Amino acid sequence: MLGKLAVRNVKRSAKDYVIYFITVVLAFSFLFAFNLLGSSSEVLELSDVMNNFAIVMHVVNIFILFVVCFLINYTIKFMFSKRSLEFGTYLLLGIKKKQISNLFTLENVLLGLLTLPLAIFVGYILSLLMSFIITGLFELESIVHITFSIEAVLLLFVYFAFIYVFVLFLARRRIRKVKIYDLLYLEKKNEEKQFRKNKVRNVSFFVSLGLGILAMALFFQEFHRLGVDPSMATVLFCIVLIIFSIYGVVITLADFLLKVVLKNKKLKYQKDYLFLARTFSSKVKTMSFTLGTISVLITFTLIALNLSSLFKAMFDYQLELSAPYDISVTEIDENEIPLYLDFIKEHYTIEEEFVYHGYTESNRNVSKVLGELGGWREYDQVVKLSDYNKLLELKGDKPLQLEQDEYLIHATREFEDILTNTSSIQEIILPNDEVLKLKDVVTDGYTYAWGTGYGFLLVVPDDAVEGLAVESTNLIVDTKEETTEEFAKVFERLLVPDICEEEDDGYTVCYSLANVTVRGNVEATNNGFITIVSFVCFYIAFIFISVVGTILAIQGLSDSSKYKYRYQVLSKLGVKESELDKTIFRQLFVFFLFPVIYPIIISFFTVFSLNHLFQFVLTTDTVYILYYFINLFVFLLIYIIYFLTTYFGFKRNIGDSQGGGFFAR
Amino acid sequence: MSVLKLENVKKYYGVKNNITKAVDGISFQVDEGEFVAIMGASGSGKTTLLNCISTIDNVTSGHIYVGREDITEIKEDDMADFRRENLGFIFQDFNLLDTLSIEENISLSLIINHTDVNEMDKRVLDIASKLGISDVLKKFPYEVSGGQKQRCACARALITHPKLILADEPTGALDSKSSRMLLETMRDMNEHLGATILMVTHDTFSASFCKRVLFLKDGKIFNEILRGDKSRKEFFDEIIDVLTLLGGDTENVR
């Protein structure tokens, strides 16, 4: 009989159960999507190689598990409160608590099992969609392959069992402890004041804020020290601090704001502030922990998005730094050039080939300044302006102009400070007695393809190289097709050895002075690690955004019946429908805005600190700000979609009642 | 023989400096076959008192005996059995389960008691015909009128032959015609089926159907009147007089 009752109840409260069902399906599909990522061979391989990466994946896994657990617990609590009156009646009629909790358990397990196949399906589609977006929109190589895996399914079952055992244990304990009185009058209950004393609240607020600042400072310290690897322990400690801080701030802040609004009569009675403030703070009181979790998730989302773009930017910069041209061979033997070209022609269509000379500047005007920082070369390398401009043009940069008595230094960013602050290079004398004034030190767009072992390049007017010894001959080739890793391997074998040395074990090892760089090869070597990390970060960010949006949307919609009544009262008091709409908009807007504010601040400072790690491998040291805002924009875009969906859904739910069922409550 | 006996029952709410004495030392007893009303203005403690008697709420101090058993001492685990065997409930908002038909709602406690199916059907039909709801048995609560719902609640309360039926403003959500019908039903239940009923109400008309009325004010018993051989009209006037004396809300004086 109880079983029959359960089935009927599920049928009758189908509308509420739809919300429950969708939440559970989504929650498990997010979990499954993450499992799929974790079981993809690329990620597994990377975890094998990189210890830290494996740790990060585990931490994220635990966190997602925790959030899903929390989400399901939340929905089960929600269903319980919806049916509190029913359970109260059962108790009154003499059904034992144990029977009721068995009934409730059975119901939830059955429903949960029903959600699993759907969750697997949705999760799989979701993961495909996400990898499609990531590879398409963010132009990442599709190097991580998400495939359906039985392992991920099994893992999902394990997680499912774990979560349900845990959550239902909590639910059963709740039922055991609940008083029949509370069940019958649960709906009419007001939210309790969380902090009986304002002082406690104020202190908690500032302590939480302090923890956040402390965490940020520690984090900054950790990444500010150049050349020292940040310790994983400190970083984890900072993360824990940040989580505590976010929960604390979010929980106390709403109460704090409410106090401000209520204290200030002018503010209190202006427009619909009173209604908004009360609604909002009651909301925060009932779901302060949820909002805290959401804020933590948003923080992680923003950081993950930024990490992802920093990694991607790092990859792009590395590529430009070492291989801006399809094929480049430095210090080549001039006679061998046709040989190389013929070989390249067998594989690719040559769009453009360019040979230029590097000249010797034996006075070493610049490397003397750099001292040990500079390369291991005995000369400074000089190129003609016309050659230099051609080099720039092939890279897709704009050509430069020089006066007859000017020269230019193009160097890596590390040298910028020293070179711009040294007066001795303001005017230099070349070995051929040409006197040149420094026009500028350029750092953007330097590439090692212009010669290894220097870190800088002197550009002089074409006439000024007269009398200088030719130091090297270099070949640059622009091919129509993309070069590949395989080609690079064969091509390198072509090089004629220049120096041979006998090793201790009797083998002879030969080197070539020439230096070959094939873009496709560099791309492939760098690609693996960075792209996977970047991809994983994006993927996690998307899962988090989905979780956040789902929680907020469901929260907003689930208790719209409660608000229906409140808005009916407002409407009866003579508030126009357009004004009601505005109030609804504001109410939801505040609700969605609130959990985003603190994470934006926290994540910005985190990225600011992280930038110290990345700035030397990025095009400029402030480019992270641009990335930050682009990522924030991407996040907000998705967030706003969730917001609007909730808004229209909410309005429809409220609107249902304004027609016929005016007194229907 | 007394079915219900209260000894100095108190129920306090709040903390330290802000205590509400909802029920403040009430003692009385209800004998078998009585139909008693508890009246009082809103906030006088009627519902709290009823909640305490119906084991929905705990008392702060004092004892409540139902039959020989002290319900303030019953363990949580045995409470369900006790309620099922001794008490019947009628609420202002019916508290019927939407998912069950009227028939199933009525038989719910019997199902829980594992009563024989044939016996169950017989009893449901019997009680339904007595309360005049035989023709709506197959319907669901949302398909029938408020009066019918409340009579269904009565049937549910009656079917286990409880020692005591507790009713909280049973006419609160009904129109006057349905109210009258319900009260007549309850009187019949009391007179012909031998049910002992304790009803909380603030409605004089409802109270005039009872045999005895207790008046509460600020958590204490203020007065008590018996109907005796008086007509319902005379009793009604008498109740009004007491309410005027009670000086509560004028809304109680019609």
Side-chain angles (χ1 to χ4, degrees):
Chain A
M1 181 62 201
L2 273 180
K4 199 172 142 198
L5 247 182
V7 173
R8 284 219 182 157
N9 282 322
V10 172
K11 264 193 209 157
R12 267 289 285 163
S13 35
K15 211 174 170 183
D16 292 330
Y17 269 99
V18 166
I19 292 175
Y20 171 88
F21 200 73
I22 292 174
T23 316
V24 177
V25 167
L26 284 179
F28 278 114
S29 57
F30 297 144
L31 199 58
F32 185 62
F34 185 78
N35 286 352
L36 281 179
L37 176 73
S39 63
S40 82
S41 54
E42 289 84 7
V43 172
L44 284 176
E45 267 169 36
L46 198 63
S47 297
D48 279 347
V49 186
M50 272 194 59
N51 213 355
N52 278 350
F53 185 73
I55 294 175
V56 169
M57 286 299 277
H58 281 307
V59 170
V60 173
N61 194 358
I62 290 171
F63 195 76
I64 291 185
L65 201 62
F66 168 77
V67 169
V68 168
C69 212
F70 166 81
L71 192 58
I72 291 185
N73 186 36
Y74 179 82
T75 30
I76 286 186
K77 242 159 83 180
F78 167 73
M79 276 328 294
F80 186 74
S81 73
K82 282 267 165 193
R83 294 177 58 189
S84 61
L85 198 65
E86 179 191 332
F87 289 144
T89 311
Y90 287 161
L91 276 179
L92 267 188
L93 291 176
I95 299 182
K96 288 193 174 171
K97 272 187 178 175
K98 204 163 180 188
Q99 282 171 291
I100 293 176
S101 70
N102 283 346
L103 176 84
F104 193 62
T105 311
L106 186 76
E107 248 179 59
N108 279 298
V109 169
L110 285 179
L111 264 172
L113 285 174
L114 216 66
T115 59
L116 269 184
L118 251 173
I120 290 171
F121 177 72
V122 174
Y124 184 56
I125 299 288
L126 205 71
S127 65
L128 288 183
L129 197 74
M130 284 198 290
S131 40
F132 176 73
I133 290 175
I134 294 169
T135 49
L137 207 65
F138 299 94
E139 292 167 350
L140 278 183
E141 300 281 317
S142 56
I143 195 167
V144 180
H145 302 283
I146 303 285
T147 47
F148 193 86
S149 95
I150 295 298
E151 265 170 65
V153 175
L154 289 179
L155 202 60
L156 185 70
F157 280 121
V158 172
Y159 287 160
F160 173 84
F162 168 76
I163 290 173
Y164 263 79
V165 165
F166 179 65
V167 165
L168 286 174
F169 168 77
L170 289 183
R172 290 179 73 103
R173 211 183 59 162
R174 240 184 340 260
I175 295 177
R176 204 163 59 234
K177 290 211 167 153
V178 79
K179 281 193 203 140
I180 183 167
Y181 179 86
D182 294 327
L183 280 178
L184 290 174
Y185 299 98
L186 195 66
E187 274 186 38
K188 290 166 194 157
K189 253 192 165 174
N190 257 8
E191 286 84 10
E192 276 169 31
K193 205 164 186 281
Q194 252 164 339
F195 298 96
R196 202 163 286 151
K197 291 205 174 90
N198 290 336
K199 212 173 159 186
V200 176
R201 184 205 56 216
N202 291 351
V203 169
S204 330
F205 175 71
F206 286 112
V207 165
S208 312
L209 205 61
L211 280 182
I213 294 170
L214 176 71
M216 288 292 100
L218 264 176
F219 207 67
F220 180 75
Q221 273 289 314
E222 201 58 32
F223 285 96
H224 201 57
R225 297 176 308 176
L226 271 181
V228 185
D229 268 350
S231 92
M232 202 64 190
T234 317
V235 173
L236 283 178
F237 179 65
C238 285
I239 291 175
V240 171
L241 277 188
I242 288 174
I243 291 176
F244 271 109
S245 166
I246 292 175
Y247 274 114
V249 168
V250 168
I251 289 170
T252 48
L253 188 63
D255 215 41
F256 203 68
L257 288 180
L258 178 74
K259 203 71 190 185
V260 172
V261 174
L262 289 186
K263 241 187 182 169
N264 187 338
K265 287 225 162 149
K266 240 184 177 170
L267 214 58
K268 181 176 169 182
Y269 296 119
Q270 209 177 53
K271 291 185 193 159
D272 46 6
Y273 286 0
L274 177 65
F275 183 79
L276 284 180
R278 280 291 187 197
T279 316
F280 179 63
S281 105
S282 83
K283 193 97 183 167
V284 172
K285 277 171 192 161
T286 39
M287 52 179 297
S288 53
F289 189 72
T290 317
L291 281 178
T293 310
I294 284 172
S295 288
V296 171
L297 281 173
I298 292 175
T299 314
F300 284 179
T301 308
L302 287 174
I303 293 174
L305 276 177
N306 277 296
L307 262 181
S308 184
S309 24
L310 285 178
F311 270 112
K312 184 173 149 28
M314 180 168 114
F315 169 65
D316 290 344
Y317 180 70
Q318 292 286 34
L319 192 61
E320 288 315 311
L321 195 67
S322 47
Y325 309 110
D326 286 328
I327 301 166
S328 63
V329 190
T330 53
E331 295 173 62
I332 201 169
D333 189 333
E334 202 140 6
N335 303 322
E336 290 164 12
I337 290 179
L339 187 78
Y340 289 122
L341 288 177
D342 284 345
F343 185 76
I344 295 172
K345 271 181 206 152
E346 283 172 27
H347 292 82
Y348 302 113
T349 325
I350 294 182
E351 294 240 291
E352 195 153 12
E353 52 185 80
F354 175 56
V355 179
Y356 71 98
H357 294 294
Y359 297 91
T360 311
E361 200 274 274
S362 49
N363 289 351
R364 301 182 64 230
N365 284 295
V366 177
S367 37
K368 257 187 256 163
V369 172
L370 292 172
E372 283 190 4
L373 275 176
W376 39 266
R377 298 283 185 162
E378 285 157 19
Y379 309 99
D380 290 357
Q381 183 175 239
V382 175
V383 294
K384 287 195 288 189
L385 179 67
S386 58
D387 286 347
Y388 173 72
N389 278 337
K390 182 73 185 170
L391 286 173
L392 290 184
E393 190 199 317
L394 282 169
K395 251 160 64 70
D397 294 341
K398 278 190 188 131
L400 288 171
Q401 299 285 326
L402 279 182
E403 296 298 322
Q404 269 311 314
D405 59 345
E406 281 180 337
Y407 82 107
L408 182 97
I409 303 177
H410 200 154
T412 62
R413 191 126 40 86
E414 289 105 300
F415 299 157
E416 188 173 11
D417 280 353
I418 303 181
L419 292 179
T420 45
N421 293 325
T422 308
S423 56
S424 70
I425 55 167
Q426 290 304 322
E427 197 169 278
I428 57 164
I429 305 170
L430 296 181
N432 59 2
D433 297 331
E434 286 272 351
V435 181
L436 298 171
K437 276 186 285 183
L438 178 64
K439 187 193 180 190
D440 203 1
V441 178
V442 181
T443 55
D444 284 351
Y446 181 81
T447 162
Y448 291 114
W450 292 340
T452 44
Y454 298 103
F456 65 92
L457 189 69
L458 302 187
V459 185
V460 300
D462 285 10
D463 300 340
V465 295
E466 225 161 281
L468 293 183
V470 171
E471 197 242 342
S472 62
T473 305
N474 311 291
L475 170 70
I476 306 264
V477 177
D478 189 14
T479 61
K480 196 176 174 192
E481 298 84 0
E482 292 286 310
T483 49
T484 63
E485 207 179 348
E486 290 72 32
F487 169 76
K489 277 181 191 142
V490 194
F491 190 59
E492 274 165 10
R493 265 185 246 140
L494 260 186
L495 297 173
V496 180
D498 296 310
I499 308 164
C500 286
E501 279 175 0
E502 200 163 319
E503 297 270 297
D504 294 343
D505 47 12
Y507 286 102
T508 310
V509 180
C510 289
Y511 305 97
S512 169
L513 282 177
N515 210 326
V516 169
T517 318
V518 177
R519 188 178 168 94
N521 188 33
V522 176
E523 208 168 358
T525 352
N526 281 344
N527 214 350
F529 164 65
I530 292 173
T531 315
I532 292 172
V533 173
S534 183
F535 182 93
V536 168
C537 285
F538 267 128
Y539 196 92
I540 290 171
F542 277 121
I543 290 187
F544 281 180
I545 296 179
S546 318
V547 171
V548 165
T550 309
I551 298 180
L552 284 176
I554 283 171
Q555 232 304 315
L557 291 176
S558 66
D559 54 10
S560 51
S561 65
K562 209 193 236 166
Y563 285 100
K564 205 182 214 171
Y565 174 71
R566 292 180 193 167
Y567 278 102
Q568 274 169 15
V569 171
L570 282 187
S571 161
K572 282 176 199 165
L573 289 175
V575 182
K576 270 186 252 151
E577 198 170 327
S578 58
E579 282 168 12
L580 276 184
D581 282 354
K582 264 187 220 155
T583 308
I584 293 174
F585 186 85
R586 283 204 206 110
Q587 181 200 328
L588 288 173
F589 182 73
V590 173
F591 180 57
F592 270 75
L593 180 71
F594 182 71
V596 188
I597 301 168
Y598 195 47
I600 288 184
I601 300 171
I602 293 245
S603 61
F604 182 78
F605 281 109
T606 312
V607 175
F608 170 72
S609 301
L610 282 175
N611 184 48
H612 285 282
L613 205 64
F614 284 94
Q615 61 178 338
F616 291 109
V617 288
L618 296 178
T619 44
T620 69
D621 51 8
T622 46
V623 75
Y624 75 96
I625 297 177
L626 179 70
Y627 290 135
Y628 184 82
F629 283 103
I630 291 174
N631 285 317
L632 189 61
F633 178 75
V634 169
F635 169 78
L636 287 180
L637 202 70
I638 302 176
Y639 200 63
I640 286 170
I641 292 173
Y642 270 107
F643 166 68
L644 290 178
T645 314
T646 313
Y647 170 65
F648 287 115
F650 197 94
K651 235 172 74 173
R652 208 192 49 224
N653 281 0
I654 303 277
D656 273 354
S657 59
Q658 282 175 354
F662 208 74
F663 295 95
R665 221 182 104 92
Chain B
M1 193 201 127
S2 82
V3 172
L4 175 72
K5 191 170 152 199
L6 275 73
E7 281 178 1
N8 201 21
V9 171
K10 290 179 182 172
K11 176 71 188 177
Y12 293 173
Y13 290 111
V15 281
K16 274 188 186 170
N17 304 325
N18 187 21
I19 290 179
T20 312
K21 298 178 177 179
V23 174
D24 192 13
I26 286 184
S27 305
F28 68 90
Q29 74 175 46
V30 176
D31 291 331
E32 199 174 339
E34 271 200 295
F35 186 5
V36 181
I38 297 178
M39 289 196 78
S42 19
S44 60
K46 307 177 300 266
T47 301
T48 308
L49 182 65
L50 194 76
N51 279 342
C52 288
I53 297 172
S54 51
T55 69
I56 291 176
D57 211 348
N58 302 327
V59 297
T60 308
S61 73
H63 295 279
I64 300 174
Y65 298 93
V66 173
R68 284 195 186 80
E69 238 169 320
D70 184 354
I71 63 166
T72 58
E73 310 260 292
I74 297 177
K75 274 192 224 120
E76 176 80 37
D77 283 347
D78 304 325
M79 204 62 112
D81 290 332
F82 174 79
R83 272 197 292 268
R84 200 169 63 221
E85 283 154 19
N86 296 288
L87 301 177
F89 297 93
I90 304 169
F91 292 92
Q92 178 176 0
D93 44 7
F94 323 125
N95 268 16
L96 297 178
L97 298 178
D98 294 342
T99 49
L100 302 184
S101 68
I102 297 289
E103 184 179 21
E104 288 162 338
N105 260 300
I106 296 173
S107 57
L108 193 59
S109 356
L110 293 180
I111 297 167
I112 299 161
N113 276 340
H114 302 293
T115 314
D116 174 69
V117 179
N118 294 327
E119 161 80 8
M120 194 156 71
D121 276 351
K122 220 179 84 196
R123 274 163 78 173
V124 171
L125 285 176
D126 184 44
I127 201 100
S129 71
K130 275 178 187 151
L131 297 185
I133 45 173
S134 314
D135 47 345
V136 293
L137 279 180
K138 298 292 177 205
K139 289 187 175 171
F140 282 90
Y142 57 90
E143 294 170 321
V144 303
S145 74
Q148 285 167 327
K149 268 189 233 178
Q150 198 58 301
R151 268 178 284 150
C152 167
C154 286
R156 183 180 67 183
L158 268 177
I159 198 150
T160 51
H161 303 303
K163 287 204 180 84
L164 180 65
I165 291 175
L166 300 166
D168 186 6
E169 305 269 10
T171 57
L174 300 181
D175 59 273
S176 60
K177 187 167 164 272
S178 306
S179 291
R180 193 186 191 101
M181 273 176 77
L182 179 79
L183 288 162
E184 278 163 3
T185 310
M186 285 174 75
R187 190 176 55 197
D188 286 348
M189 278 158 61
N190 172 248
E191 285 174 2
H192 304 300
L193 303 174
T196 312
I197 304 173
L198 179 67
M199 172 172 80
V200 158
T201 182
H202 69 265
D203 174 28
T204 316
F205 180 72
S206 301
S208 67
F209 279 82
C210 300
K211 289 177 179 163
R212 180 156 69 114
V213 182
L214 292 168
F215 295 89
L216 288 195
K217 188 183 183 181
D218 301 331
K220 293 188 168 108
I221 293 182
F222 172 79
N223 201 348
E224 176 183 353
I225 53 173
L226 287 164
R227 180 166 168 188
D229 295 331
K230 286 179 268 250
S231 74
R232 204 181 61 71
K233 181 73 184 70
E234 285 167 349
F235 195 47
F236 181 85
D237 292 339
E238 202 176 334
I239 297 170
I240 296 247
D241 288 343
V242 179
L243 285 176
T244 325
L245 259 180
L246 203 62
D249 310 64
T250 41
E251 64 155 75
N252 291 315
V253 188
R254 290 207 177 157

